[in-house]
Tab-separated table of all heavy atoms in Angstrom:
chain	number	residue	atom	x	y	z
A	5	ASP	N	19.115	-4.748	13.136
A	5	ASP	CA	20.391	-4.361	13.750
A	5	ASP	C	20.399	-2.856	13.976
A	5	ASP	O	20.358	-2.062	13.037
A	5	ASP	CB	21.555	-4.777	12.837
A	5	ASP	CG	22.909	-4.515	13.473
A	5	ASP	OD1	22.976	-3.777	14.477
A	5	ASP	OD2	23.919	-5.052	12.951
A	6	GLN	N	20.454	-2.441	15.232
A	6	GLN	CA	20.363	-1.037	15.564
A	6	GLN	C	21.545	-0.218	15.029
A	6	GLN	O	21.434	1.003	14.896
A	6	GLN	CB	20.262	-0.854	17.086
A	6	GLN	CG	19.000	-1.466	17.670
A	6	GLN	CD	18.883	-1.230	19.177
A	6	GLN	OE1	19.711	-0.538	19.762
A	6	GLN	NE2	17.847	-1.799	19.768
A	7	GLU	N	22.652	-0.864	14.744
A	7	GLU	CA	23.819	-0.152	14.261
A	7	GLU	C	23.801	0.069	12.755
A	7	GLU	O	24.661	0.789	12.236
A	7	GLU	CB	25.107	-0.912	14.651
A	7	GLU	CG	25.272	-1.108	16.157
A	7	GLU	CD	25.270	0.231	16.911
A	7	GLU	OE1	25.910	1.184	16.417
A	7	GLU	OE2	24.635	0.309	17.980
A	8	GLN	N	22.891	-0.559	12.056
A	8	GLN	CA	22.832	-0.455	10.601
A	8	GLN	C	21.928	0.697	10.163
A	8	GLN	O	21.048	1.151	10.895
A	8	GLN	CB	22.327	-1.773	10.004
A	8	GLN	CG	23.232	-2.971	10.262
A	8	GLN	CD	24.528	-2.878	9.494
A	8	GLN	OE1	24.628	-2.171	8.504
A	8	GLN	NE2	25.554	-3.598	9.947
A	9	CYS	N	22.161	1.165	8.926
A	9	CYS	CA	21.299	2.201	8.353
A	9	CYS	C	19.928	1.596	8.011
A	9	CYS	O	19.791	0.378	7.894
A	9	CYS	CB	21.927	2.808	7.107
A	9	CYS	SG	22.366	1.620	5.819
A	10	ILE	N	18.932	2.465	7.834
A	10	ILE	CA	17.586	1.972	7.535
A	10	ILE	C	16.792	3.026	6.777
A	10	ILE	O	16.962	4.224	6.999
A	10	ILE	CB	16.825	1.582	8.824
A	10	ILE	CG1	15.502	0.886	8.495
A	10	ILE	CG2	16.608	2.794	9.726
A	10	ILE	CD1	14.811	0.280	9.672
A	11	GLY	N	15.965	2.559	5.880
A	11	GLY	CA	15.022	3.423	5.185
A	11	GLY	C	13.603	2.973	5.458
A	11	GLY	O	13.337	1.763	5.563
A	12	VAL	N	12.671	3.937	5.605
A	12	VAL	CA	11.284	3.631	5.890
A	12	VAL	C	10.376	4.307	4.865
A	12	VAL	O	10.577	5.484	4.537
A	12	VAL	CB	10.864	4.096	7.313
A	12	VAL	CG1	9.377	3.904	7.532
A	12	VAL	CG2	11.668	3.340	8.368
A	13	VAL	N	9.430	3.545	4.344
A	13	VAL	CA	8.424	4.089	3.408
A	13	VAL	C	7.057	3.949	4.063
A	13	VAL	O	6.678	2.832	4.499
A	13	VAL	CB	8.435	3.344	2.065
A	13	VAL	CG1	7.466	4.009	1.089
A	13	VAL	CG2	9.835	3.301	1.478
A	14	PHE	N	6.332	5.039	4.172
A	14	PHE	CA	4.990	5.011	4.782
A	14	PHE	C	3.992	5.446	3.714
A	14	PHE	O	4.116	6.507	3.133
A	14	PHE	CB	4.931	5.988	5.977
A	14	PHE	CG	3.888	5.630	6.998
A	14	PHE	CD1	4.257	5.193	8.237
A	14	PHE	CD2	2.539	5.738	6.693
A	14	PHE	CE1	3.290	4.860	9.199
A	14	PHE	CE2	1.577	5.420	7.639
A	14	PHE	CZ	1.942	4.970	8.883
A	15	CYS	N	2.999	4.589	3.470
A	15	CYS	CA	2.042	4.834	2.376
A	15	CYS	C	0.614	4.859	2.908
A	15	CYS	O	0.279	4.174	3.882
A	15	CYS	CB	2.137	3.732	1.310
A	15	CYS	SG	3.769	3.474	0.659
A	16	ASP	N	-0.224	5.647	2.242
A	16	ASP	CA	-1.640	5.705	2.543
A	16	ASP	C	-2.435	5.637	1.254
A	16	ASP	O	-2.165	6.390	0.310
A	16	ASP	CB	-1.983	6.994	3.299
A	16	ASP	CG	-3.449	7.042	3.709
A	16	ASP	OD1	-4.283	7.440	2.867
A	16	ASP	OD2	-3.742	6.696	4.867
A	17	VAL	N	-3.399	4.715	1.205
A	17	VAL	CA	-4.227	4.575	0.007
A	17	VAL	C	-5.272	5.688	0.028
A	17	VAL	O	-6.252	5.640	0.772
A	17	VAL	CB	-4.925	3.187	-0.039
A	17	VAL	CG1	-5.719	3.051	-1.340
A	17	VAL	CG2	-3.893	2.083	0.101
A	18	THR	N	-5.070	6.710	-0.777
A	18	THR	CA	-5.980	7.849	-0.774
A	18	THR	C	-7.264	7.514	-1.541
A	18	THR	O	-7.259	6.757	-2.497
A	18	THR	CB	-5.308	9.073	-1.404
A	18	THR	OG1	-4.817	8.723	-2.703
A	18	THR	CG2	-4.152	9.542	-0.544
A	19	GLY	N	-8.349	8.087	-1.082
A	19	GLY	CA	-9.628	7.887	-1.753
A	19	GLY	C	-10.266	6.546	-1.490
A	19	GLY	O	-11.216	6.169	-2.205
A	20	LEU	N	-9.816	5.817	-0.477
A	20	LEU	CA	-10.339	4.483	-0.234
A	20	LEU	C	-11.798	4.540	0.225
A	20	LEU	O	-12.629	3.760	-0.252
A	20	LEU	CB	-9.492	3.739	0.801
A	20	LEU	CG	-9.955	2.331	1.173
A	20	LEU	CD1	-9.958	1.416	-0.042
A	20	LEU	CD2	-9.083	1.733	2.287
A	21	LYS	N	-12.116	5.464	1.139
A	21	LYS	CA	-13.498	5.523	1.644
A	21	LYS	C	-14.452	5.901	0.511
A	21	LYS	O	-15.548	5.341	0.391
A	21	LYS	CB	-13.599	6.545	2.775
A	21	LYS	CG	-14.994	6.572	3.405
A	21	LYS	CD	-15.064	7.530	4.558
A	21	LYS	CE	-16.425	7.424	5.265
A	21	LYS	NZ	-17.564	7.653	4.343
A	22	ARG	N	-14.031	6.861	-0.323
A	22	ARG	CA	-14.895	7.256	-1.438
A	22	ARG	C	-15.145	6.105	-2.394
A	22	ARG	O	-16.255	5.886	-2.870
A	22	ARG	CB	-14.259	8.433	-2.192
A	22	ARG	CG	-15.190	9.080	-3.238
A	22	ARG	CD	-14.560	10.284	-3.874
A	22	ARG	NE	-13.529	9.929	-4.830
A	22	ARG	CZ	-12.237	9.986	-4.604
A	22	ARG	NH1	-11.791	10.395	-3.419
A	22	ARG	NH2	-11.371	9.640	-5.528
A	23	MET	N	-14.100	5.309	-2.621
A	23	MET	CA	-14.218	4.149	-3.493
A	23	MET	C	-15.194	3.121	-2.882
A	23	MET	O	-16.055	2.562	-3.565
A	23	MET	CB	-12.860	3.501	-3.733
A	23	MET	CG	-12.889	2.253	-4.587
A	23	MET	SD	-13.324	2.592	-6.316
A	23	MET	CE	-11.762	3.315	-6.879
A	24	ASN	N	-15.034	2.860	-1.562
A	24	ASN	CA	-15.929	1.917	-0.895
A	24	ASN	C	-17.370	2.382	-0.952
A	24	ASN	O	-18.297	1.580	-1.176
A	24	ASN	CB	-15.504	1.730	0.565
A	24	ASN	CG	-14.242	0.881	0.709
A	24	ASN	OD1	-13.938	0.063	-0.146
A	24	ASN	ND2	-13.522	1.104	1.802
A	25	ASP	N	-17.581	3.688	-0.760
A	25	ASP	CA	-18.955	4.217	-0.725
A	25	ASP	C	-19.590	4.253	-2.110
A	25	ASP	O	-20.785	3.947	-2.241
A	25	ASP	CB	-18.924	5.656	-0.148
A	25	ASP	CG	-18.578	5.675	1.335
A	25	ASP	OD1	-18.652	4.603	1.966
A	25	ASP	OD2	-18.229	6.742	1.850
A	26	GLN	N	-18.802	4.582	-3.119
A	26	GLN	CA	-19.378	4.766	-4.460
A	26	GLN	C	-19.435	3.477	-5.275
A	26	GLN	O	-20.379	3.244	-6.019
A	26	GLN	CB	-18.572	5.817	-5.230
A	26	GLN	CG	-18.659	7.222	-4.633
A	26	GLN	CD	-17.831	8.225	-5.393
A	26	GLN	OE1	-17.170	7.902	-6.378
A	26	GLN	NE2	-17.855	9.495	-4.945
A	27	LYS	N	-18.397	2.596	-5.115
A	27	LYS	CA	-18.334	1.416	-5.978
A	27	LYS	C	-18.337	0.090	-5.215
A	27	LYS	O	-18.309	-0.970	-5.837
A	27	LYS	CB	-17.100	1.496	-6.872
A	27	LYS	CG	-17.120	2.671	-7.838
A	27	LYS	CD	-15.971	2.605	-8.811
A	27	LYS	CE	-16.055	3.769	-9.820
A	27	LYS	NZ	-14.940	3.701	-10.833
A	28	GLY	N	-18.330	0.175	-3.900
A	28	GLY	CA	-18.388	-1.064	-3.106
A	28	GLY	C	-17.020	-1.478	-2.583
A	28	GLY	O	-15.968	-1.058	-3.090
A	29	HIS	N	-17.058	-2.351	-1.592
A	29	HIS	CA	-15.804	-2.768	-0.941
A	29	HIS	C	-14.912	-3.644	-1.816
A	29	HIS	O	-13.703	-3.701	-1.603
A	29	HIS	CB	-16.132	-3.470	0.375
A	29	HIS	CG	-16.572	-2.544	1.461
A	29	HIS	ND1	-15.708	-1.873	2.272
A	29	HIS	CD2	-17.815	-2.132	1.846
A	29	HIS	CE1	-16.356	-1.109	3.114
A	29	HIS	NE2	-17.663	-1.242	2.873
A	30	LEU	N	-15.491	-4.365	-2.772
A	30	LEU	CA	-14.663	-5.160	-3.673
A	30	LEU	C	-13.724	-4.262	-4.476
A	30	LEU	O	-12.542	-4.582	-4.663
A	30	LEU	CB	-15.533	-5.993	-4.611
A	30	LEU	CG	-16.229	-7.197	-3.992
A	30	LEU	CD1	-17.094	-7.909	-5.054
A	30	LEU	CD2	-15.202	-8.179	-3.416
A	31	GLU	N	-14.228	-3.135	-4.943
A	31	GLU	CA	-13.382	-2.186	-5.656
A	31	GLU	C	-12.385	-1.532	-4.720
A	31	GLU	O	-11.249	-1.259	-5.077
A	31	GLU	CB	-14.261	-1.113	-6.337
A	31	GLU	CG	-14.966	-1.606	-7.581
A	31	GLU	CD	-13.998	-2.100	-8.633
A	31	GLU	OE1	-13.062	-1.372	-8.992
A	31	GLU	OE2	-14.163	-3.262	-9.084
A	32	GLY	N	-12.818	-1.302	-3.462
A	32	GLY	CA	-11.888	-0.763	-2.478
A	32	GLY	C	-10.764	-1.731	-2.190
A	32	GLY	O	-9.601	-1.323	-2.070
A	33	ASP	N	-11.107	-3.021	-2.106
A	33	ASP	CA	-10.049	-4.045	-1.900
A	33	ASP	C	-9.088	-4.080	-3.073
A	33	ASP	O	-7.873	-4.244	-2.896
A	33	ASP	CB	-10.699	-5.414	-1.697
A	33	ASP	CG	-11.385	-5.566	-0.346
A	33	ASP	OD1	-11.162	-4.697	0.523
A	33	ASP	OD2	-12.113	-6.543	-0.168
A	34	ARG	N	-9.628	-3.929	-4.292
A	34	ARG	CA	-8.766	-3.931	-5.457
A	34	ARG	C	-7.774	-2.757	-5.412
A	34	ARG	O	-6.622	-2.899	-5.785
A	34	ARG	CB	-9.602	-3.865	-6.735
A	34	ARG	CG	-8.784	-3.944	-8.015
A	34	ARG	CD	-9.650	-3.679	-9.254
A	34	ARG	NE	-10.193	-2.324	-9.211
A	34	ARG	CZ	-9.505	-1.238	-9.547
A	34	ARG	NH1	-8.223	-1.342	-9.901
A	34	ARG	NH2	-10.080	-0.051	-9.494
A	35	LEU	N	-8.241	-1.621	-4.931
A	35	LEU	CA	-7.379	-0.441	-4.812
A	35	LEU	C	-6.239	-0.715	-3.827
A	35	LEU	O	-5.078	-0.348	-4.065
A	35	LEU	CB	-8.211	0.750	-4.338
A	35	LEU	CG	-7.521	2.105	-4.284
A	35	LEU	CD1	-6.989	2.503	-5.655
A	35	LEU	CD2	-8.486	3.170	-3.758
A	36	ILE	N	-6.556	-1.375	-2.719
A	36	ILE	CA	-5.523	-1.719	-1.709
A	36	ILE	C	-4.519	-2.697	-2.319
A	36	ILE	O	-3.299	-2.550	-2.164
A	36	ILE	CB	-6.172	-2.331	-0.456
A	36	ILE	CG1	-7.048	-1.291	0.241
A	36	ILE	CG2	-5.100	-2.849	0.489
A	36	ILE	CD1	-7.881	-1.866	1.370
A	37	VAL	N	-5.015	-3.715	-3.031
A	37	VAL	CA	-4.134	-4.712	-3.647
A	37	VAL	C	-3.219	-4.057	-4.685
A	37	VAL	O	-2.010	-4.331	-4.730
A	37	VAL	CB	-4.959	-5.862	-4.276
A	37	VAL	CG1	-4.056	-6.758	-5.115
A	37	VAL	CG2	-5.667	-6.654	-3.199
A	38	ASP	N	-3.782	-3.199	-5.537
A	38	ASP	CA	-2.977	-2.522	-6.558
A	38	ASP	C	-1.898	-1.640	-5.910
A	38	ASP	O	-0.772	-1.562	-6.416
A	38	ASP	CB	-3.871	-1.649	-7.456
A	38	ASP	CG	-4.749	-2.475	-8.373
A	38	ASP	OD1	-4.469	-3.688	-8.525
A	38	ASP	OD2	-5.721	-1.922	-8.938
A	39	SER	N	-2.254	-1.015	-4.803
A	39	SER	CA	-1.271	-0.181	-4.094
A	39	SER	C	-0.134	-1.037	-3.507
A	39	SER	O	1.034	-0.656	-3.589
A	39	SER	CB	-1.961	0.590	-2.960
A	39	SER	OG	-2.963	1.466	-3.476
A	40	SER	N	-0.493	-2.186	-2.942
A	40	SER	CA	0.547	-3.070	-2.393
A	40	SER	C	1.450	-3.621	-3.483
A	40	SER	O	2.635	-3.834	-3.270
A	40	SER	CB	-0.097	-4.202	-1.602
A	40	SER	OG	-0.768	-5.121	-2.448
A	41	LYS	N	0.890	-3.838	-4.669
A	41	LYS	CA	1.712	-4.322	-5.791
A	41	LYS	C	2.754	-3.286	-6.174
A	41	LYS	O	3.886	-3.647	-6.552
A	41	LYS	CB	0.815	-4.633	-6.982
A	41	LYS	CG	0.004	-5.917	-6.835
A	41	LYS	CD	-0.855	-6.176	-8.064
A	41	LYS	CE	-1.653	-7.463	-7.915
A	41	LYS	NZ	-2.544	-7.692	-9.088
A	42	CYS	N	2.419	-2.003	-6.113
A	42	CYS	CA	3.379	-0.945	-6.400
A	42	CYS	C	4.557	-1.024	-5.413
A	42	CYS	O	5.729	-0.959	-5.796
A	42	CYS	CB	2.734	0.427	-6.288
A	42	CYS	SG	1.589	0.829	-7.625
A	43	LEU	N	4.225	-1.200	-4.135
A	43	LEU	CA	5.251	-1.284	-3.105
A	43	LEU	C	6.113	-2.539	-3.295
A	43	LEU	O	7.340	-2.498	-3.149
A	43	LEU	CB	4.588	-1.293	-1.731
A	43	LEU	CG	5.443	-0.840	-0.533
A	43	LEU	CD1	6.002	0.545	-0.757
A	43	LEU	CD2	4.627	-0.897	0.746
A	44	LYS	N	5.459	-3.652	-3.646
A	44	LYS	CA	6.192	-4.894	-3.885
A	44	LYS	C	7.152	-4.766	-5.061
A	44	LYS	O	8.267	-5.281	-5.044
A	44	LYS	CB	5.215	-6.049	-4.175
A	44	LYS	CG	4.428	-6.548	-2.982
A	44	LYS	CD	3.492	-7.671	-3.413
A	44	LYS	CE	2.573	-8.122	-2.300
A	44	LYS	NZ	1.606	-9.161	-2.738
A	45	GLU	N	6.710	-4.091	-6.106
A	45	GLU	CA	7.510	-3.952	-7.324
A	45	GLU	C	8.840	-3.269	-7.050
A	45	GLU	O	9.875	-3.625	-7.631
A	45	GLU	CB	6.725	-3.176	-8.379
A	45	GLU	CG	7.390	-3.077	-9.733
A	45	GLU	CD	7.485	-4.414	-10.441
A	45	GLU	OE1	6.619	-5.280	-10.157
A	45	GLU	OE2	8.396	-4.574	-11.269
A	46	VAL	N	8.838	-2.288	-6.153
A	46	VAL	CA	10.040	-1.486	-5.919
A	46	VAL	C	10.795	-1.925	-4.650
A	46	VAL	O	12.019	-1.974	-4.636
A	46	VAL	CB	9.674	0.016	-5.811
A	46	VAL	CG1	10.924	0.860	-5.598
A	46	VAL	CG2	8.923	0.475	-7.044
A	47	PHE	N	10.069	-2.291	-3.580
A	47	PHE	CA	10.721	-2.632	-2.306
A	47	PHE	C	10.425	-4.063	-1.875
A	47	PHE	O	10.487	-4.391	-0.688
A	47	PHE	CB	10.257	-1.657	-1.212
A	47	PHE	CG	10.793	-0.253	-1.379
A	47	PHE	CD1	9.984	0.739	-1.924
A	47	PHE	CD2	12.079	0.064	-0.984
A	47	PHE	CE1	10.456	2.035	-2.064
A	47	PHE	CE2	12.560	1.356	-1.106
A	47	PHE	CZ	11.761	2.344	-1.671
A	48	GLY	N	10.134	-4.929	-2.833
A	48	GLY	CA	9.719	-6.285	-2.506
A	48	GLY	C	10.776	-7.138	-1.825
A	48	GLY	O	10.469	-8.172	-1.227
A	49	ASP	N	12.052	-6.726	-1.927
A	49	ASP	CA	13.124	-7.504	-1.296
A	49	ASP	C	13.369	-7.066	0.150
A	49	ASP	O	14.349	-7.491	0.776
A	49	ASP	CB	14.411	-7.415	-2.104
A	49	ASP	CG	14.781	-5.973	-2.481
A	49	ASP	OD1	13.902	-5.102	-2.437
A	49	ASP	OD2	15.946	-5.744	-2.859
A	50	TYR	N	12.517	-6.200	0.677
A	50	TYR	CA	12.611	-5.764	2.061
A	50	TYR	C	11.306	-6.148	2.800
A	50	TYR	O	10.472	-6.865	2.265
A	50	TYR	CB	12.869	-4.257	2.135
A	50	TYR	CG	14.260	-3.881	1.694
A	50	TYR	CD1	14.492	-3.398	0.406
A	50	TYR	CD2	15.356	-4.038	2.544
A	50	TYR	CE1	15.771	-3.063	-0.021
A	50	TYR	CE2	16.642	-3.699	2.132
A	50	TYR	CZ	16.844	-3.224	0.852
A	50	TYR	OH	18.119	-2.897	0.448
A	51	GLY	N	11.120	-5.645	4.031
A	51	GLY	CA	9.948	-6.004	4.804
A	51	GLY	C	8.763	-5.125	4.444
A	51	GLY	O	8.837	-3.896	4.573
A	52	LEU	N	7.683	-5.744	3.978
A	52	LEU	CA	6.467	-5.022	3.600
A	52	LEU	C	5.315	-5.408	4.517
A	52	LEU	O	5.115	-6.584	4.808
A	52	LEU	CB	6.084	-5.330	2.151
A	52	LEU	CG	7.166	-5.126	1.071
A	52	LEU	CD1	6.599	-5.399	-0.303
A	52	LEU	CD2	7.730	-3.726	1.140
């Protein structure tokens, strides 16, 4: 609804490339999942 107030959160998983290069993509995926869990924990009742 364009007439309603809105809040936006923009996140970036820092160090993802270094994690993928040093420990592999499985660890990089785990980093992404852990980051999304943080967002779910606080803003899970909105659009993620």
Side-chain angles (χ1 to χ4, degrees):
D5 185 345
Q6 297 182 4
E7 300 303 318
Q8 296 290 339
C9 56
I10 188 170
V12 174
V13 185
F14 205 111
C15 306
D16 183 277
V17 183
T18 54
L20 179 61
K21 184 178 187 303
R22 189 176 75 258
M23 178 68 75
N24 286 335
D25 291 344
Q26 295 178 0
K27 297 187 177 182
H29 286 275
L30 286 178
E31 285 301 307
D33 287 349
R34 184 188 62 78
L35 186 59
I36 295 172
V37 171
D38 289 345
S39 298
S40 69
K41 286 180 179 177
C42 288
L43 203 56
K44 288 178 185 177
E45 185 68 26
V46 182
F47 290 100
D49 49 341
Y50 289 99
L52 306 183

